Amino acid sequence: MTVSSDVRRITDTMAAFIGHGAKNLPDDVLKALETLRSKEDDPLALEIYDLMFRNLKLARELDRPTCQDTGFLQFWIRCGSGFPFIADLEEALTQAVIEATASTPLRSNVVETFDENNTGNNTGTGAPTFWWDIVPGWDGCEIYTYMAGGGCSLPGHAMVLMPGQGYEAAVRFVLDRMTSYGLNACPPLFVGVGIGNSAETAALNAKKALMRPIGSHNENEKAAAMEKLLEDGINAIGFGPQGMGGRYSVTGVNVVSTARHPACMGIAVTVGCWSHRRGCIVFDRDLNYEVRTHSGFSAEYSSHDSGSDQSSSFGKAGAAND
Ligand code: SF4
């Protein structure tokens, strides 16, 4: 198989995975929504959860996205230094976004800043977004996909706290943001909190926090305690599903931190909505893949003329169930 046909395999798989992620929520998000519904007793909240699950069922049956806002595509790539296609990935993923936009279809959500024109295919200057981490000595590649909707991106915020303000101020920062902007993000919210040396490191940590599974906990006991504190605090706001009131406001709160200057604490928050569309797929050097987020995914090639052997079957995702 030539290099170009390998790159085509990546593009085809990722276009299918992006489309699947637009139409099917990740397993952990579904489970979290079911759990919240089972603990809810507010009649309006129960009605709204039922509408959400009906929406998800119809999305599967009608083969349509779960929300009309299919977001701005962002990729966090944890790539082994020995992955053979490292140099091709950005081009392959950009092409996958273009093809998924047509085949899914996805709403065209990329507007060139200052020019104010919609590019029509969800790509543009710096779009989609790529964040890279290189993993020395590995020959595989882990790709997180995220569809950043407008509403769920709105509460995002980052700042650097003054010296001595400490962790109490970090908690207040997050709660202030949730009480003022959380409603914009179609609760129940999945809240990512980042702490680091500066505004941009905190912001990227917050986004990475949104990629961690719901229900996971920070390995540091104090950070895990902050997750619980924030979860309880945001639940106490009483958003309920779609902000119409209820006992719970969040599917979870994840904190990711990195070391910082002793005088500075960068703090950031970013939010996923009830339709939290993130995926994780891992390729080995032969392009076998494993999907970690969606048990129902199997790559189905679209009908475009790719020039590749489209009869090949190389996936090893969990059993298809839809
Ligand atoms: S916040 Fe989420 S569910 Fe609400 S409109 Fe935006 S993408 Fe859709």
Side-chain angles (χ1 to χ4, degrees), residues 9 282-290 313-316:
R9 265 168 73 166
V282 185
F283 290 94
D284 69 16
R285 62 173 297 117
D286 298 318
L287 299 182
N288 300 304
Y289 65 84
E290 179 184 7
S313 171
F314 55 93
K316 55 177 183 178

Side-chain angles (χ1 to χ4, degrees), residues 17 20-21 24-27 278-280 291-297 317-318:
F17 188 52
H20 185 86
N24 300 271
L25 293 188
D27 299 346
R278 71 103 158 66
C280 179
V291 169
R292 300 217 166 127
T293 44
H294 295 71
S295 59
F297 175 74

Side-chain angles (χ1 to χ4, degrees), residues 66-71 147-153 184-186 242 272-277:
T66 58
C67 178
Q68 88 288 343
D69 183 354
T70 50
M147 311 182 96
C152 51
S153 297
N184 291 293
C186 292
Q242 291 292 6
C273 56
W274 77 272
S275 185
H276 182 53
R277 292 150 300 172

Side-chain angles (χ1 to χ4, degrees), residues 151-165:
C152 51
S153 297
L154 276 174
H157 198 37
M159 67 176 294
V160 180
L161 299 174
M162 292 295 283
Q165 279 193 287

